[in-house]
Amino acid sequence: AQTVTQSQPEMSVQEAETVTLSCTYDTSESDYYLFWYKQPPSRQMILVIRQEAYKQQNATENRFSVNFQKAAKSFSLKISDSQLGDAAMYFCAYLSGTYKYIFGTGTRLKVLA
Amino acid sequence: EAGVTQSPTHLIKTRGQQATLRCSPISGHTSVYWYQQALGLGLQFLLWYDEGEERNRGNFPPRFSGRQFPNYSSELNVNALELEDSALYLCASSSGVQLMNTEAFFGQGTRLTVV
């Protein structure tokens, strides 16, 4: 069965600094998608970035980028120039061939002014 | 365009009662996912419906059930409520099985409290 693990329950970063959130997953499938979702205090889940497993190039969305290591089954999120509005729960998610989204337990990111 | 809407926003029930949670997906979306977000446990997958059929089910007891209507809205029913069912229940919709890389759009959730 596919699993997603986020080993950092909480992280802190100074405003304008860079932080990396870790995510590992386990799967026997070769074709899948990976996502990072953000859940601010408003509870509204928002897609941050997505990565297709067949693409070697790491996805980038403005200040957000991923380090996708397929062989290691690792999918970390890097946030550059952190802003106060980045404070939220971040969930790593795996979309399997059964079209079931599997989420990690989340990492709470605190941004310090 | 309206996003995913869930009702009610908050729900308080007593042990043993039944709870019904509702979800309206984004127009055009045929897939609906249900998740339970209990404190400290992340998002636990409950159910996935697509085109009116249950496609997959998470590791939850049978008292958690649901259905998807012809208009693709969905209902989650929890029978014989227990205290540990208290959680935020999130619904998400996506374009369905036709698109593998489809993004899931989430509602704001229903906070269920069992007392």
Side-chain angles (χ1 to χ4, degrees), chain A residues 31-33 35 37 39 42-45 47 50 52 91 95-106, chain B residues 9-10 33 35 37 40-43 45 48 56 88 90 97 99-104 106-111:
Chain A
D31 190 19
Y32 51 88
Y33 289 78
F35 304 81
Y37 281 87
Q39 187 183 40
S42 67
R43 301 186 335 202
Q44 182 68 57
M45 294 277 277
L47 177 68
R50 86 184 78 193
E52 292 89 342
F91 292 95
L95 180 59
S96 72
T98 58
Y99 308 102
K100 179 179 70 176
Y101 275 89
I102 302 168
F103 286 82
T105 52
Chain B
T9 306
H10 294 86
Y33 300 81
Y35 293 90
Q37 187 178 17
L41 293 180
L43 275 73
F45 169 71
W48 171 42
N56 214 326
L88 179 68
L90 289 170
V97 300
L99 295 174
M100 179 65 173
N101 66 342
T102 183
E103 172 186 349
F106 284 80
Q108 290 201 295
T110 293
R111 172 74 65 188

Side-chain angles (χ1 to χ4, degrees), chain A residues 61-113:
Chain A
E61 285 287 343
N62 301 314
R63 300 183 293 108
F64 298 87
S65 62
V66 299
N67 183 4
F68 174 48
Q69 302 289 329
K70 191 172 184 179
K73 295 178 183 175
S74 170
F75 182 61
S76 60
L77 174 70
K78 185 172 84 170
I79 306 174
S80 304
D81 186 26
S82 296
Q83 300 174 0
L84 295 177
D86 295 334
M89 282 288 286
Y90 286 82
F91 292 95
C92 176
Y94 168 99
L95 180 59
S96 72
T98 58
Y99 308 102
K100 179 179 70 176
Y101 275 89
I102 302 168
F103 286 82
T105 52
T107 297
R108 182 173 302 282
L109 178 66
K110 294 183 177 181
V111 180
L112 309 172

Side-chain angles (χ1 to χ4, degrees), chain B residues 39-81:
Chain B
L39 191 62
L41 293 180
L43 275 73
Q44 304 295 314
F45 169 71
L46 270 163
L47 290 159
W48 171 42
Y49 293 97
D50 185 71
E51 297 281 0
E53 293 185 15
E54 182 179 301
R55 299 292 183 145
N56 214 326
R57 181 183 177 84
N59 188 25
F60 278 84
R63 56 191 187 82
F64 286 83
S65 64
R67 55 180 171 168
Q68 187 178 34
F69 299 99
N71 66 354
Y72 303 120
S73 66
S74 178
E75 222 172 59
L76 173 69
N77 295 295
V78 188
N79 294 321
L81 284 165

